[in-house]
Amino acid sequence: MAGPASGQIAFGPQRTERIEAELVPMSQWVAPGSTTVVAVRQKIAPGWHTYWRNPGDSGGATSLTWTLPQGVTADPILWPLPSRQRLMSLMNYGYSGEVLLPVPIHAPASARPGEILTLTTDALFLVCSDQMCVPQPMTLSLALPVRDGAAPLARSWGPEIERLVETAPRPAGIKARLTAQGDRLTLTATGGPLAGGDVGRAYFFPYDGDRIDHAAAQTGHVGPDGLTLGLAPGKRGAEAALSGVLATDKGAWEIEARPGPPLPGAQGRGGLSPLADADARPPGGGVWTFVRALGLALLGGLVLNLMPCVFPVLAMKAASLSAAAHDPRRARRDGLAFTAGVVISFLALAGALLALRAAGQAIGWGFQLQSPGVVAALALVMLLVGLNLSGVFHIGAGLQSAGSGPLSRLPGAAGAFFTGVLAVVVAAPCTAPFMAAALGAALVLAWPLALAVFLMLGLGLALPYLAISLSPGLLSRLPRPGAWMERLKGVLAFPMYGAALWLVWVFTKQGGVNALGLLLTAALLLAFAAWLAGIAQDARQSGRRPVMAATCATIAGVLALGLAGAAAGAARTADIGPRREDGALDAQPWSEAAVAQATAAGRPVLVNLTADWCVTCKINERAALSSPRVAQAMKQANAIYLVGDWTRRDDAITRELQAHGRSGVPLYLVYRPGRAEPDILPQLLTEGVVIEALKP
């Protein structure tokens, strides 16, 4: 009856840097067969908030999963009235500061006086600022004594919990109707406590998130038997009953408005004012934080130009700008086309990411590289680009002129646009400084604002080349075209081959050697198809009709695509064991339980959340985490090294990234015994940074 052993349960307040929470009782004890109330007390850090049962336009409600002794049951939360939280064009409903969420608890008649009931709940709080949201899971416990007789209120929180229970919105005999009138919904409510027409202010909080436009103004009128509120429809409008809380200056009550004509007696005595909300946020703060996120995104995109995974493609773009230096008009066209390729690709990638997240998928930046099929396709694309640069075949060769430059793989603006697309493709494995905060903010904003953040990332990546293409002075400083460019074209093929080999290695990690064999065969057939295509192109330039070469190239290409699909299918079903990290540090697989076990034993923990397709991760692991000096520092600190591998999709790692405001790897954390929150290390590591972080 007493539940889990108390030695395994953490009683009292649990804390992170954003929220403190605990279970607190209304009464000093509970009698057998009676009902008492406990509350989840939240003390939320300034500038942060949690959410009501309907969070509004964004966010997520607090959830409780109970573990209770046999016979004990818990009711749903009695939600207190929320505050309205405005962020630009959005309206959310939630809580800030200190709030209590009461929960009725029913004790069985079989409970024995003198017994202790251990109540435990796994609470998940989504704690948000105007810039980002962080899921905060906590396990909260309370020891509740069983005694005979009526229990007095608990000294600390009893009176406040009792007040909340007494004033919690409940049905009160109010009759309500919802009427669609053009592009507006009319809510009429009459009877019960509304009779008499003495309500002066009102606001309706819906239980469903998509029935009304939360941010739209609610205008109203009062009548002798009730009131009328004008609402803006949401996605689903008025085809079904609308439930929620009607809050007024006289009280708040649950209502259910069924579709139908307006009720009589709900108008005629004057207008209603909006219900005052002392906790409403000034709109200027949201604008500032959004602008700040845009600035970080622009900086992150600029720094992305310096990341090693992006360099090969950008070197090609720089060379093509040099080829166009003698023709400023063409340079401007190519610069704008390159920028369009970057921006459109960023927006398409962002749109897919946001759509998947809206569908409930736990994903983050670089999510597409967790798919073996995408990795296989990119490896083959890199191979084709390399073969093209090596002169094996040419795309648009018949349309290119000498002035197009030897590095143009497609004629004119199309080639520049494709280079922009390719730059985004190879940038996906990288997370540059400043990008982490911007991406973390983007993935919790409404989709138009999130897309604006991704737009700034793309502009940051393309900006240096756009500036050069639009500036005749900068163009004149570039080296003139010559024979060196043809040689550079051949040299730049090898980074593409290297990228293809790296992607094949990632694919092997994801899918194993059987899938690798299929992919290598597909690559061989694709290279053969490209060679035949080159022969066919040369024949056409000589005036011949290369029917056999073109037919064989097509057949080889189709076979290559089929084998690539088979390789992706084999990789998806492959059973790949846990990753083992090579290097000076002895790595163990990451899990929340492993962290908790190590810190409970008094040992520090260094966590490395990484992926094989993350170039920044690989550089850090070779330059810093494989260092003998770091290994010695780990030994001296008696620390444990845990590696979380995100190469393939892992929702637990995704949640851990989100808990620290990140949307992608790398993420490096140092946990210390006795501290709930870890230290977050920079994304670019050095030996000194890691060694300093491990010091007591």
Side-chain angles (χ1 to χ4, degrees):
M1 176 69 72
S6 59
Q8 302 174 357
I9 298 174
F11 295 96
Q14 306 298 306
R15 299 178 179 87
T16 70
E17 62 186 70
R18 303 172 186 88
I19 188 172
E20 174 183 297
E22 64 176 326
L23 280 182
V24 294
M26 183 178 77
S27 304
Q28 294 183 21
W29 66 77
V30 62
S34 69
T35 297
T36 188
V37 177
V38 301
V40 177
R41 183 184 73 89
Q42 302 176 51
K43 185 177 181 181
I44 307 162
W48 296 80
H49 57 271
T50 59
Y51 292 95
W52 188 53
R53 57 179 293 176
N54 170 19
D57 287 320
S58 64
T62 296
S63 65
L64 305 177
T65 302
W66 291 92
T67 301
L68 300 170
Q70 184 176 4
V72 178
T73 59
D75 284 351
I77 297 170
L78 295 175
W79 294 92
L81 204 63
S83 299
R84 299 190 295 276
Q85 301 163 340
R86 182 175 290 277
L87 175 62
M88 299 188 68
S89 62
L90 307 181
M91 177 69 80
N92 295 332
Y93 306 131
Y95 309 102
S96 57
E98 195 162 54
V99 63
L100 295 164
L101 303 181
V103 178
I105 299 292
H106 307 284
S110 59
R112 298 187 302 273
E115 188 177 9
I116 301 294
L117 300 180
T118 300
L119 313 178
T120 299
T121 186
D122 292 321
L124 179 60
F125 308 103
L126 187 64
V127 190
C128 297
S129 66
D130 286 339
Q131 184 176 355
M132 69 173 62
C133 287
V134 181
Q136 299 276 206
M138 290 182 176
T139 299
L140 311 176
S141 296
L142 175 68
L144 190 63
V146 178
R147 299 182 188 175
D148 287 324
L153 293 176
R155 295 187 185 91
S156 298
W157 301 103
E160 178 63 16
I161 297 173
E162 184 181 51
R163 183 190 68 79
L164 288 173
V165 171
E166 291 175 350
T167 58
R170 291 181 175 85
I174 297 174
K175 188 177 181 180
R177 290 288 183 270
L178 186 65
T179 309
Q181 296 178 328
D183 60 351
R184 296 287 290 177
L185 298 177
T186 299
L187 173 68
T188 51
T190 59
L194 298 178
D198 57 351
V199 173
R201 299 176 181 272
Y203 191 89
F204 178 69
F205 295 92
Y207 285 158
D208 295 327
D210 58 356
R211 297 298 306 282
I212 71 170
D213 182 349
H214 303 99
Q218 297 185 10
T219 57
H221 301 272
V222 65
D225 195 36
L227 57 84
T228 298
L229 280 178
L231 310 173
K235 294 179 181 178
R236 286 201 292 139
E239 75 277 7
L242 178 63
S243 299
V245 174
L246 180 61
T248 74
D249 52 350
K250 303 300 182 183
W253 307 280
E254 285 187 337
I255 63 171
E256 183 180 29
R258 298 185 177 278
L263 294 171
Q267 294 192 49
R269 288 194 176 180
L272 276 175
S273 300
L275 186 70
D277 192 341
D279 295 325
R281 296 175 176 223
V287 174
W288 168 245
T289 54
F290 173 59
V291 170
R292 183 173 148 195
L294 292 179
L296 288 173
L298 183 65
L299 285 173
L302 285 168
V303 176
L304 200 58
N305 285 283
L306 306 177
M307 305 304 286
C309 49
V310 187
F311 172 75
V313 172
L314 297 187
M316 291 193 299
K317 182 56 194 167
S320 66
L321 280 178
S322 179
H326 66 286
D327 186 352
R329 182 176 178 181
R330 178 191 157 205
R332 287 194 297 271
R333 180 201 66 192
D334 286 0
L336 291 171
F338 173 77
T339 302
V342 169
V343 169
I344 291 174
S345 300
F346 253 109
L347 292 179
L349 191 60
L353 191 155
L354 294 170
L356 289 171
R357 289 182 67 90
Q361 300 293 312
I363 57 174
W365 179 249
F367 71 97
Q368 69 278 19
L369 293 176
Q370 294 175 329
S371 166
V374 173
V375 173
L378 290 179
L380 297 180
V381 168
M382 295 299 175
L383 174 62
L384 281 178
V385 172
L387 292 172
N388 179 237
L389 290 171
S390 293
V392 174
F393 73 106
H394 306 280
I395 298 177
L399 299 175
Q400 287 179 247
S401 63
S404 299
L407 293 173
S408 297
R409 291 157 310 285
L410 287 171
F417 181 88
F418 175 77
T419 308
V421 173
L422 195 61
V424 176
V425 168
V426 298
C430 290
T431 303
F434 304 108
M435 276 184 67
L439 289 172
L443 295 181
V444 297
L445 290 171
W447 70 265
L449 306 183
L451 288 179
V453 173
F454 280 97
L455 172 66
M456 293 304 289
L457 278 168
L459 287 176
L461 177 61
L463 191 57
Y465 306 92
L466 180 63
I468 292 173
S469 68
L470 297 179
S471 172
L474 292 175
L475 278 173
S476 65
R477 295 177 180 271
L478 295 176
R480 292 295 178 184
W484 65 272
M485 295 192 68
E486 189 65 33
R487 185 167 298 174
L488 178 62
K489 174 186 173 183
V491 170
L492 289 176
F494 289 93
M496 295 296 102
Y497 295 139
L501 287 174
W502 164 66
L503 286 165
V504 168
W505 174 75
V506 172
F507 181 84
T508 308
K509 294 281 188 176
Q510 293 176 328
V513 293
N514 291 334
L516 171 64
L518 292 172
L519 181 61
L520 290 178
T521 305
L524 177 64
L525 283 171
L526 191 65
F528 181 57
W531 178 72
L532 289 173
I535 290 177
Q537 288 174 336
D538 292 340
R540 290 191 190 96
Q541 289 180 352
S542 301
R544 301 192 305 273
R545 298 182 63 184
V547 177
M548 181 63 71
T551 302
C552 291
T554 302
I555 294 172
V558 171
L559 289 174
L561 292 177
L563 281 173
R572 282 192 295 269
T573 58
D575 185 13
I576 303 299
R579 168 180 177 171
R580 299 198 59 84
E581 186 75 11
D582 298 328
L585 300 184
D586 182 18
Q588 300 177 30
W590 170 87
S591 68
E592 292 183 359
V595 173
Q597 184 178 2
T599 54
R603 301 184 65 181
V605 180
L606 172 61
V607 173
N608 173 17
L609 301 184
T610 182
D612 286 328
W613 43 259
C614 170
V615 177
T616 307
C617 305
K618 298 287 107 184
I619 292 174
N620 287 336
E621 288 161 15
R622 296 293 182 268
L625 296 176
S626 296
S627 160
R629 291 181 57 211
V630 170
Q632 182 63 28
M634 291 282 292
K635 184 176 180 180
Q636 291 176 351
N638 192 29
I640 292 179
Y641 180 47
L642 301 180
V643 175
D645 186 8
W646 211 44
T647 302
R648 295 181 73 166
R649 177 170 170 169
D650 188 319
D651 290 349
I653 294 177
T654 305
R655 289 191 294 269
E656 183 71 5
L657 291 167
Q658 293 170 345
H660 299 286
R662 297 292 177 87
S663 63
V665 290
L667 177 62
Y668 306 104
L669 307 171
V670 175
Y671 288 87
R672 303 181 190 280
R675 288 177 52 181
E677 288 297 302
D679 296 326
I680 300 178
L681 303 188
Q683 289 179 294
L684 297 178
L685 291 183
T686 63
E687 285 184 348
V689 166
V690 180
I691 292 170
E692 186 66 27
L694 291 170
K695 292 180 179 178

